[in-house]
Amino acid sequence: MADHRPLDPSTLAVTAGRGARRPGDPLSVPVVLASTYRAEGDGPPYGRDGNPTWTALEEAIGALEGGTAVVFSSGMAAVSAVIDGVPAGGLVVAPLAAYHGVRRLLTDAHARGRLTLQTVETARGGDVIAALRGAALLWLESPANPLLDLADIPGLAGAAHAAGARVVVDNTLATPIAQRPLELVADIVVHSVTKLLSGHSDLLMGAAVTREPALATALASRRALTGGVPGPMEAFLALRGLRTLALRLERAGGTAGELARRLERHPLVERVRYPGLPDHPGHELARRQMQGFGTMVAFEVAGGAAAADAVCASVELIVPATSLGGVETLIERRARWPGEERTPPALLRLSVGLEHVDDLWADLEAALEAAAAANPPGRAMAGGGEAR
Ligand SMILES: *Cc1c(COP(=O)(O)O)cnc(C)c1O
C-alpha cells in the first residue's frame, strides 16, 4: 500500500490472522487437531503449549487491541491467569460493579489469604486513588456488566501507574472496535471471547492482551501449566465470528441506541441505562474514550422484580437467557443471581443482537404491556422475585 496509515479496526478484523501468504494455502488457517507435534520443529512441542489455530486468532485479537494476545479456554481462565500474576498477599483494587465471576474469584482469593482485595466505586476517582497506595493491580471494567457504569481509563490508569500498580481492563462489553484500553495506557486487556468477539453463542473462550513481551510469555506459560487451553475448533469458530465483528457492532449498536431511546419514553419503564443516552452519567466519558456506545441496554421496569420476570416470560422473539454478545437478542433479570445484590431487582439486561429494530421493539412493547396487565399497580410487589 502506498501510504502507511494504520488499517482501520474493521479492516483488521477481516485481514489479521491469515497465516503466511504462500500460493495455494487456504485463506483461513484451518482447524489443527493435535495433542502433539513431530519433534525438532519450530512450533510448539505439545498441545498445551500452542496450536496454529489459536495463533491465528491471537494474531487477529492482538492486531485489534494493539498488543500480544494469549487465548484461553474461557474468559474466566484468562482472568485467573492475570490474577495469578499478583504476588502473594498483593493488593488488588477492583470495582464493586465488576462482572460477578471476577468479583467472586477475587473475594475467594482474599478469603484464602492469597491476595488482599479492596473494592471501590470506580466512578469516584478520589476513592480509587486513595485505595491505590501500595497496590499491585487495578482492575477496571468499562462499560461494566450489568450496570453499564463507565470508568475513566486514562485517568485511573495514570494514577495506578504513579502508585506502581499494573492496570487491567475487562474490555468484553466494548470490544476493540469501540475501545482500545492499551492505547489508553492500560497494561492488560482481558476478554470473554465467548461474547461479542466470537458473537454466535456457540463457544466459550477468553483472551488476555498486553504490550509487554515478558508478561505475554508469563501468561502463555500460566496457560500451559494450569491447562486453561482452548479447543482448536473453538478458536476457528471464534476467528470466523471475529471477521464480522465491526459489522455486527455497527448494526447491534445502532439498534441498542434506538431501543434505549424508545424505552426511555415508555410509561412502564422507570430508568434506562445506555452510555449513548445524553443523561447517562458516563456519556461524556464514553464520547472521549470510546468509538460507539456498545450493544447492551439495561432498564428498570415499573412494578419491581415480579413485573421484570413477567417481561422475560412474555417475550417471544427475544430469548430469556444469560450471556450476551451473540447475533440473537437476549434478556435477563440480572438480580436473580446470587452476588448481584447491588443490581436493582427490576433491572433487565438486554443484549441486543441483529434482528430488525422494529421487530424487537414490537416484542418488548407487547411484553411490557403483558407484564403490566399481570402485575397491576398495587399488587406489584406481592409475588415473585424470590432470590435464586
Ligand atoms: C462473561 C464475562 C466474563 C467471563 O467470561 P466467560 O467466557 O464466561 O468465562 C468476564 N467478564 C465479562 C464482562 C463478562 O461478560
Side-chain angles (χ1 to χ4, degrees):
M1 262 174 277
D3 65 358
H4 293 280
R5 193 175 54 84
L7 294 174
D8 188 79
S10 61
T11 304
L12 285 175
V14 175
T15 57
R18 295 281 182 191
R21 297 184 177 194
R22 285 183 303 249
D25 276 1
L27 256 64
S28 298
V29 172
V31 186
V32 177
L33 296 167
S35 64
T36 190
Y37 303 88
R38 288 184 185 279
E40 288 154 26
D42 296 333
Y46 186 59
R48 211 156 11 79
D49 303 308
N51 175 287
T53 319
W54 304 352
T55 306
L57 176 62
E58 287 173 340
E59 279 174 19
I61 296 175
L64 282 168
E65 287 287 4
T68 301
V70 180
V71 292
F72 290 85
S73 52
S74 67
M76 286 309 294
V79 167
S80 303
V82 171
I83 290 173
D84 234 17
V86 175
L91 174 62
V92 177
V93 178
L96 278 161
Y99 174 70
H100 75 106
V102 173
R103 269 187 289 122
R104 282 171 62 196
L105 186 78
L106 288 170
T107 307
D108 177 64
H110 175 90
R112 288 183 294 114
R114 165 66 183 81
L115 51 76
T116 308
L117 173 63
Q118 170 81 52
T119 49
V120 287
E121 190 84 67
T122 30
R124 295 208 199 112
D127 290 5
V128 183
I129 292 164
L132 279 169
R133 185 193 297 265
L137 196 71
L138 171 64
W139 194 276
L140 296 174
E141 182 181 323
S142 185
N145 180 6
L147 296 179
L148 306 180
D149 293 340
L150 264 75
D152 174 357
I153 299 174
L156 295 177
H161 287 157
R166 268 204 174 115
V167 180
V168 187
V169 176
D170 186 332
N171 204 28
T172 299
L173 262 57
T175 86
I177 299 288
Q179 176 170 275
R180 285 174 296 284
L182 299 181
E183 288 174 6
L184 304 170
V185 306
D187 303 294
I188 306 174
V189 170
V190 297
H191 274 285
S192 172
V193 177
T194 311
K195 313 287 172 55
L196 281 148
L197 294 191
S198 65
H200 293 74
S201 310
D202 53 7
L203 60 91
L204 288 162
M205 270 190 82
V209 196
T210 176
R211 285 181 172 168
E212 293 174 48
L215 194 50
T217 306
L219 287 165
S221 154
R222 242 167 260 140
R223 171 180 64 187
L225 293 174
T226 58
V229 292
M233 188 67 198
E234 277 80 354
F236 180 89
L237 287 172
L239 183 50
R240 194 184 214 274
L242 188 69
R243 297 299 183 208
T244 56
L245 176 63
L247 205 55
R248 286 187 282 109
L249 217 66
E250 194 181 316
R251 164 80 171 198
T255 306
E258 182 56 30
L259 291 177
R261 285 185 289 276
R262 292 187 193 181
L263 283 165
E264 232 183 1
R265 293 193 299 265
H266 198 287
L268 301 173
V269 173
E270 289 184 338
R271 178 174 175 187
V272 182
R273 299 169 198 240
Y274 182 67
L277 293 175
D279 65 355
H280 186 282
H283 180 66
E284 285 311 315
L285 194 52
R287 296 182 74 93
R288 281 207 302 278
Q289 69 185 20
M290 297 178 73
Q291 295 83 48
F293 303 109
T295 62
M296 305 294 294
V297 181
F299 62 101
E300 285 157 59
V301 183
D309 279 335
V311 171
C312 296
S314 306
V315 284
E316 289 177 5
L317 175 68
I318 298 170
V319 183
T322 196
S323 197
L324 59 99
V327 296
E328 54 294 283
T329 300
L330 306 181
I331 194 163
E332 177 172 48
R333 191 172 73 80
R334 203 56 195 163
R336 72 194 175 107
W337 296 106
E340 290 282 353
E341 288 75 23
R342 291 184 75 251
T343 303
L347 180 135
L348 292 174
R349 187 186 71 180
L350 194 67
S351 167
V352 178
L354 305 186
E355 306 89 337
H356 194 280
V357 61
D358 291 333
D359 292 331
L360 291 171
W361 180 245
D363 197 32
L364 270 179
E365 239 186 346
L368 282 164
E369 270 148 36
N375 298 275
R379 53 162 286 235
M381 299 309 288
E386 72 278 11
R388 261 166 285 175

